[in-house]
Amino acid sequence: MKWHHYFLSVLSGAATINAAIGHQQCVSFTSGANAGFPIVSGGNAAPIYISASDSPSVHRALKDFASDIGKVSGKTPQIFNTTSFAGLKPKSKPIIVGTVASLKPILGNSTADIIQGLEGKWETYTGKVVTNPLPGVPEAYVLIGSDRRGAIYGLYELSEQSGVSPWYWWADVPIQKHSSIFASACQHGPPSVKYRGIFINDEQPAIQNWAQEKFTNGTGQPFNHLFYENLFELLLRLRANYLWPAMWGAMFGVDDPLNQYTADYYGIVMGTSHQEPMMRSSPNEWYKFYGSAWNWTTNSELINQYMKEGAQRAKPYESLFTMGMRGDGDLPLEDGTNIHILEDIIAHQRTILSEVYNTTDLSTIPQVWTLYKEVQKYYERGLKVPDDITLMWADDNWGNIRRFPLASERNRTGGAGIYYHYDYVGSPRNYKWIISTQLEKVYEQMSLAYTRGADRIWIVNVGDLKPYEYATEFFINLGYNATRWNQNTIRDFVTTWATREFNQPSKSAVIADIIANTTRFNSRRKPELWGPTTYSLTDYRESDDWVGGWKATYDASTSIYNSLQNSGTKASYFQLVHHAVQASYNLANLYVTVGKNNLFASQARISTNDLADQ
């Protein structure tokens, strides 16, 4: 059988170049009457002004932006951290950056329309050219965020469209070079989903051992603030805002005292996984500091104290509290009166929050209760959950969301969320080796969730992160703007992503085919579940067709990989695309060869030895 039909898009020509994946395009590189505001032009970079009183998170992101522009153009904008905007006389047209809170009293009527459109909104920004924003400043590019993350997202949008991929550090994506950079009007309203994040999970041995080597002297805690600085920056560049940190052998709030501070400094909302209540890394912290039974029926007083300490430690920072409780080792609670136990636990947890935050209005404190595995059963059997707690519905660990909010549940003040999996360790089988989730499936499930009202929190288990880069970005991108993509435009996401990462638009369509085949073949059955007889060796050429499909995909990917020798993107292509193809093809070929070897041996064929040599 010939496999050219897997790559029909080779005939379709180059993909359209879009600098922004699913976002409004607002950066160009060619001067002209309609080019926009000159960030860099004629060998000069525009100066940038920010109020000294603005959020430290915005100040930090602004340094990233200036550095990004310098790496792209060779000209780094100078940042002026000013206590007074009166009497400014910049030598060239400036950029003014900040939040509504800092710029409203400074800019006054010149930006009244922008301010009015931003006030009270969540993570929203507007950037545009404003005439006479300040006395003595005839024109400026003003970027205003409704809050700190609104301003941060606006800055990273300009960075990305200028040529800096969110994955520049994590996947060695080269920064594109442009001598001139121009910005036009750019804006984004409140995200479709309020909290969008990832869960670093099942992290031993891969990312944990790597972090140990990269961020310690060989003996320290691997998941320290140096590790998380890079992760927090990635999340913000992807327009995420929420994290469940590594937890197998880690304790986020204990391993490094700077972890929680650093998260808040960057602007990341911290949580803990579905089994770790009240901002404590359980069971690791529990056994380190208490060491007694994790059993609410027999040890509630000590567990209550443990949870209160977690709330007190998290109080200074932006946090989203996991409520409820699972049994030791992420297992169900003790048998018997689980519903009554959970209701009692949640009541105690809310008393803790009320005391620690000194408030009776707990709707001001974000809380989530994850209906994972048996916990959903308790809810459906009548467990009462306070209305302001977000109900987090979960998939079945294999990408199928078990239940969506009913019409009667969609008016809860806490709303609803989704916990999804790209990686899983548990019964009946693990899968954590390589990408095996189709974006089409992700879109189907998450778009259904969004239309059914699950728009408060989306979080996805990404394991070690590295095998799942484009799938992670798609998940976050969809949560940022849930109406941008549909079943007919998912391919556009992949081709645009490939163009951004590899700067080879003529190859982007083929790369999209390679990714589609890789995830399609791996999702039919996860590689961890393959075996020598998974596909029939005797009927309908099943095994030969399967390996033939993999070989065609591998050959196409290898051709692109080899063509990138002088482009600077070979390493990033290997990480983001080619490794998954090569590894999967090798494993598929190995299993079919073993199967044929066993079959031929049972038939007493002389060719058995030839297969054994392979």
Side-chain angles (χ1 to χ4, degrees):
M1 178 177 290
K2 295 185 181 297
W3 293 97
H4 63 272
H5 66 280
Y6 277 107
F7 299 95
L8 289 179
S9 63
V10 173
L11 306 176
S12 66
T16 300
I17 298 177
N18 290 314
I21 301 181
H23 304 160
Q24 173 190 6
Q25 188 158 348
C26 48
V27 170
S28 61
F29 308 108
T30 305
S31 61
N34 299 316
F37 181 89
I39 297 177
V40 177
S41 180
N44 295 307
I48 306 175
Y49 290 87
I50 183 172
S51 171
S53 64
D54 216 323
S55 165
S57 304
V58 180
H59 279 268
R60 192 214 59 79
L62 182 57
K63 292 178 183 177
D64 279 355
F65 171 72
S67 175
D68 291 345
I69 295 302
K71 292 171 184 175
V72 170
S73 68
K75 302 295 180 181
T76 302
Q78 186 175 359
I79 298 173
F80 293 91
N81 182 8
T82 182
T83 57
S84 174
F85 282 74
L88 290 184
K89 294 182 179 180
K91 295 180 180 180
S92 58
K93 297 177 182 178
I95 301 170
I96 300 173
V97 174
T99 58
V100 165
S102 71
L103 291 182
K104 181 179 179 179
I106 295 170
L107 297 180
N109 292 334
S110 66
T111 57
D113 59 329
I114 301 177
I115 299 291
Q116 186 176 7
L118 293 172
E119 281 187 303
K121 292 185 178 178
W122 178 263
E123 296 179 350
T124 300
Y125 67 84
T126 293
K128 62 185 293 187
V129 175
V130 176
T131 57
N132 299 314
L134 294 166
V137 181
E139 185 176 276
Y141 189 88
V142 179
L143 176 62
I144 308 178
S146 62
D147 50 28
R148 60 176 179 163
R149 279 189 295 273
I152 291 168
Y153 293 155
L155 289 167
Y156 281 140
E157 184 66 48
L158 294 175
S159 283
E160 181 182 339
Q161 293 194 33
S162 296
V164 181
S165 165
W167 300 98
Y168 79 95
W169 191 87
W170 286 91
D172 302 311
V173 178
I175 292 173
Q176 298 180 29
K177 304 298 182 180
H178 302 282
S179 59
S180 298
I181 305 171
F182 300 90
S184 55
C186 202
Q187 61 183 8
H188 198 288
S192 301
V193 178
K194 187 170 185 178
Y195 297 102
R196 309 160 305 282
I198 65 172
F199 178 20
I200 299 293
N201 191 216
D202 312 326
E203 62 271 7
Q204 174 61 253
I207 199 171
Q208 181 169 325
N209 288 356
W210 171 83
Q212 185 87 49
E213 178 182 327
K214 185 78 174 177
F215 300 108
T216 77
N217 59 8
T219 60
Q221 294 297 332
F223 298 116
N224 55 35
H225 77 281
L226 301 174
F227 166 84
Y228 280 113
E229 282 177 345
N230 293 283
L231 185 60
F232 297 151
E233 180 188 330
L234 171 68
L235 291 176
L236 293 169
R237 287 182 183 269
L238 293 175
R239 283 44 144 211
N241 60 6
Y242 181 45
L243 178 68
W244 288 357
M247 49 75 67
W248 266 27
M251 296 173 284
F252 182 77
V254 175
D255 290 342
D256 185 340
L258 290 176
N259 277 349
Q260 284 181 290
Y261 165 81
T262 303
D264 199 65
Y265 173 56
Y266 272 71
I268 294 296
V269 182
M270 287 307 302
T272 47
S273 74
H274 61 91
Q275 72 165 66
E276 302 173 283
M278 300 296 284
M279 296 301 295
R280 299 211 70 165
S281 299
S282 303
N284 298 331
E285 282 195 63
W286 173 255
Y287 287 114
K288 178 178 178 64
F289 296 112
Y290 288 85
S292 57
W294 182 253
N295 185 306
W296 184 259
T297 302
T298 62
N299 206 13
S300 60
E301 184 175 348
L302 207 56
I303 293 174
N304 195 70
Q305 177 182 331
Y306 170 79
M307 292 180 178
K308 186 171 185 177
E309 291 169 358
Q312 291 169 332
R313 188 176 65 193
K315 182 182 177 182
Y317 313 114
E318 192 173 4
S319 306
L320 205 168
F321 286 88
T322 291
M323 308 296 280
M325 180 176 166
R326 291 197 84 207
D328 194 8
D330 198 16
L331 295 172
L333 288 171
E334 56 269 24
D335 292 334
T337 56
N338 285 330
I339 290 178
H340 301 301
I341 291 173
L342 276 171
E343 287 178 341
D344 186 47
I345 291 170
I346 292 173
H348 277 77
Q349 289 170 338
R350 286 170 66 82
T351 298
I352 288 171
L353 292 178
S354 180
E355 292 174 352
V356 170
Y357 285 85
N358 192 28
T359 181
T360 58
D361 183 8
L362 294 182
S363 67
T364 62
I365 305 171
Q367 305 156 67
V368 61
W369 188 56
T370 305
L371 305 175
Y372 184 65
K373 290 190 175 180
E374 82 288 341
V375 182
Q376 180 178 324
K377 173 183 67 178
Y378 304 148
Y379 173 76
E380 292 174 339
R381 289 180 179 177
L383 188 150
K384 303 299 182 185
V385 182
D387 193 68
D388 54 31
I389 295 179
T390 302
L391 292 179
M392 177 97 84
W393 302 93
D395 67 356
D396 60 357
N397 300 309
W398 297 79
N400 307 291
I401 298 174
R402 299 168 69 195
R403 175 154 105 62
F404 301 106
L406 303 176
S408 60
E409 297 166 328
R410 294 175 199 166
N411 291 323
R412 301 179 69 259
T413 57
I418 297 294
Y419 172 36
Y420 202 74
H421 286 78
Y422 289 163
D423 168 288
Y424 174 65
V425 170
S427 62
R429 292 288 293 274
N430 303 340
Y431 64 94
K432 57 176 292 186
W433 175 54
I434 213 148
I435 182 74
S436 60
T437 301
Q438 290 179 280
L439 299 190
E440 293 83 357
K441 179 62 172 286
V442 177
Y443 170 77
E444 177 208 39
Q445 293 293 295
M446 300 311 297
S447 62
L448 280 171
Y450 181 74
T451 58
R452 303 288 180 86
D455 59 2
R456 186 63 56 89
I457 306 169
W458 284 7
I459 195 158
V460 58
N461 187 325
V462 299
D464 293 309
L465 178 65
K466 279 300 293 177
Y468 310 116
E469 291 95 338
Y470 56 79
T472 298
E473 183 164 357
F474 180 74
F475 184 92
I476 299 300
N477 197 295
L478 186 63
Y480 193 56
N481 185 353
T483 61
R484 169 62 182 87
W485 307 107
N486 59 52
Q487 65 271 24
N488 299 316
T489 60
I490 296 171
R491 181 181 174 79
D492 295 341
F493 171 87
V494 182
T495 56
T496 308
W497 175 86
T499 297
R500 185 195 69 192
E501 303 305 69
F502 312 120
N503 199 24
Q504 300 282 326
S506 65
K507 297 178 173 65
S508 295
V510 182
I511 293 171
D513 283 339
I514 292 167
I515 287 173
N517 286 345
T518 302
T519 56
R520 180 156 55 98
F521 296 159
N522 279 344
S523 67
R524 285 174 177 169
R525 180 173 289 192
K526 306 287 187 183
E528 287 85 348
L529 278 66
W530 292 352
T533 59
T534 298
Y535 293 88
S536 175
L537 301 165
T538 58
D539 297 327
Y540 309 108
R541 293 181 53 86
E542 270 191 5
S543 60
D544 288 337
D545 285 353
W546 181 52
V547 173
W550 270 121
K551 185 178 187 307
T553 304
Y554 170 71
D555 288 345
S557 185
T558 300
S559 177
I560 290 177
Y561 178 64
N562 290 336
S563 75
L564 300 175
Q565 188 67 40
N566 299 316
S567 71
T569 60
K570 193 170 186 178
S572 57
Y573 182 78
F574 181 82
Q575 294 177 57
L576 295 171
V577 179
H578 190 57
H579 170 257
V581 180
Q582 184 181 57
S584 300
Y585 168 52
N586 284 344
L587 185 64
N589 194 38
L590 171 67
Y591 273 129
V592 170
T593 301
V594 170
K596 286 184 176 181
N597 178 258
N598 293 335
L599 175 64
F600 290 1
S602 70
Q603 297 170 337
R605 293 195 193 187
I606 296 176
S607 57
T608 300
N609 292 336
D610 295 334
L611 292 173
D613 292 338
Q614 293 182 33

